[in-house]
Amino acid sequence: MKRRDLIAVGSLSLIAAGSGCMDLSEGESQDEPRVSMPVTADNIRVGFDTEQVIEIFDLAGSQLPEENQEHTVRIDVTPLEQYGVNTEDLSVETTQGRYGSTEAYNNNVDTLDITDGIIDLVIRTSEDASDADPIALKLTGYQFTDVEAVTEVQYDVQSPDDHVEFRQGSFHGGKSGSKCGFALSLDGEFTLVNPQLLPPTLCPNSINTYRETQQDLYVEWLTPEADEVVIEIDISLLEEYGTIEGFTIEPLSKSRNSDEPMVWGATLENLAIDDWTISMKLVPDSGTNYASVGVQLSGINLNIGDPLRDVSYDMTIEGDADETVETESFDIVDDPPDNDH
């Protein structure tokens, strides 16, 4: 998979996130060899995720002389030490990333090592760095202590090579203060989340009735304490603007390359919609401290008139350790694309 294949995948837009423009210092010639790249690190759910994937992709740079076709990337993960991690226990290896098959990854990795909490990666490309395949690294061996509900962690990403630069910015973030999504940084910053300190939260997408007939719903930050977790979501606020006839509900897929249901830490045993109520039954995995599920409500046909702002569904949950339940608000609008005006 090449750089052009990664410009926009799903809701991730690198154009909006950083566009790949290189920041040349004053006085530097634009003819000098330059290679730029983003470095993303997956968010970690403490006590659940046993590995963190770090990805490098969308390399930019062309007409590189031979002496500038080797690019060293050093990622300092020692900031994990302040959360109880012993960096001597960490290990790193190549792995499959978000976009495509294993064969599409890591073909430009020359060497990879980790010493004293510093990942040392050497990438070898042709004179056109944009032809390089994406790279995915798997960091394992961490154990956390004393982690707050939500903590931002910044890895230091550097290179000893003068021609290598790293992108800035982020994409795919939720609303400010939201528990429904954390931005994915292009420069090694990520979010450390302790699920046991967050309440179960319903995270709905907004609806544009002009072009959409579905809504994605995510139930996040479940901490199961029973053999079954039963979730009910009351969507009757839609009744004023349409009928339930034609509505269907089904699981979302975990990834664009898989039909596996979007469920973590549990099995989705039952999913149904009846009389403006969505019901789900989850069977938690043995010993899990975290579960979540994503579903899609389809067949939506609403006539709203004026936009509806900050509306919310009601949700109840049985079988979770936390008695508090939160529901994020969303908008319902009827906005045509700009080219339809």
Side-chain angles (χ1 to χ4, degrees):
M1 183 173 294
K2 307 303 181 185
R3 174 176 176 262
R4 60 182 174 272
D5 300 315
L6 297 173
I7 293 300
V9 179
S11 62
L12 309 184
S13 172
L14 298 186
I15 296 173
S19 75
C21 296
M22 291 174 282
D23 181 15
L24 297 175
S25 300
E26 186 177 354
E28 288 185 332
S29 169
Q30 294 190 18
D31 294 330
E32 294 180 8
R34 287 287 184 272
V35 172
S36 72
M37 64 191 77
V39 178
T40 66
D42 279 357
N43 299 327
I44 298 177
R45 296 162 290 191
V46 174
F48 182 78
D49 292 318
T50 59
E51 60 187 50
Q52 181 187 40
V53 176
I54 300 170
E55 294 202 51
I56 300 169
F57 54 94
D58 193 39
L59 273 69
S62 60
Q63 298 180 335
L64 300 172
E66 186 173 355
E67 62 267 23
N68 295 120
Q69 294 175 19
E70 184 176 283
H71 324 295
T72 301
V73 178
R74 289 178 180 158
I75 305 171
D76 183 350
V77 301
T78 58
L80 297 179
E81 291 177 336
Q82 60 185 303
Y83 307 106
V85 173
N86 184 349
T87 53
E88 294 182 1
D89 296 333
L90 298 177
S91 61
V92 67
E93 59 184 287
T94 57
T95 188
Q96 180 176 343
R98 296 183 184 86
Y99 315 105
S101 65
T102 304
E103 291 75 17
Y105 272 80
N106 305 316
N107 296 309
N108 296 91
V109 173
D110 188 45
T111 61
L112 174 65
D113 192 19
I114 183 169
T115 304
D116 297 330
I118 309 294
I119 297 173
D120 200 316
L121 168 69
V122 176
I123 305 169
R124 187 175 294 277
T125 67
S126 67
E127 66 176 10
D128 188 351
S130 65
D131 284 337
D133 288 325
I135 294 168
L137 311 178
K138 179 172 65 176
L139 182 69
T140 58
Y142 48 74
Q143 296 288 335
F144 294 97
T145 59
D146 300 325
V147 178
E148 297 180 356
V150 178
T151 304
E152 300 299 325
V153 180
Q154 176 72 62
Y155 290 155
D156 185 26
V157 182
Q158 296 187 11
S159 175
D161 302 322
D162 292 338
H163 70 279
V164 175
E165 297 174 341
F166 298 102
R167 310 255 180 90
Q168 303 292 314
S170 63
F171 55 91
H172 193 49
K175 295 182 291 185
S176 178
S178 171
K179 301 181 181 67
C180 289
F182 305 101
L184 189 61
S185 169
L186 299 177
D187 59 358
E189 185 180 41
F190 67 96
T191 305
L192 192 60
V193 185
N194 189 340
Q196 294 184 314
L197 298 181
L198 291 174
T201 304
L202 174 62
C203 305
N205 284 354
S206 291
I207 303 173
N208 186 341
T209 60
Y210 187 90
R211 60 177 181 266
E212 296 172 351
T213 60
Q214 68 275 334
Q215 181 184 34
D216 295 345
L217 304 168
Y218 306 89
V219 182
E220 266 289 2
W221 315 124
L222 296 167
T223 49
E225 67 171 2
D227 294 337
E228 295 180 345
V229 176
V230 178
I231 303 165
E232 291 191 347
I233 303 171
D234 180 352
I235 62 170
S236 59
L237 72 87
L238 303 180
E239 187 174 7
E240 183 178 347
Y241 308 100
T243 67
I244 197 171
E245 183 178 355
F247 278 31
T248 60
I249 191 77
E250 61 182 359
L252 288 164
S253 297
K254 247 183 185 178
S255 73
R256 61 192 299 267
N257 302 306
S258 170
D259 293 329
E260 184 181 0
M262 184 179 283
V263 185
W264 281 271
T267 300
L268 181 60
E269 188 172 276
N270 184 63
L271 174 63
I273 182 170
D274 181 53
D275 193 23
W276 301 103
T277 298
I278 298 170
S279 59
M280 292 178 253
K281 181 187 291 185
L282 299 177
V283 177
D285 296 343
S286 177
T288 188
N289 74 328
Y290 165 81
S292 71
V293 59
V295 300
Q296 185 174 85
L297 180 65
S298 301
I300 298 173
N301 185 12
L302 305 176
N303 295 305
I304 63 167
D306 293 332
L308 305 175
R309 303 293 184 183
D310 296 324
V311 297
S312 300
Y313 296 141
D314 291 326
M315 180 174 69
T316 60
I317 297 178
E318 297 179 1
D320 193 85
D322 199 322
E323 296 181 358
T324 303
V325 173
E326 294 190 5
T327 57
E328 294 273 334
S329 63
F330 63 97
D331 297 335
I332 306 176
V333 298
D334 185 24
D335 292 340
D338 291 339
N339 58 11
D340 281 10
H341 287 300

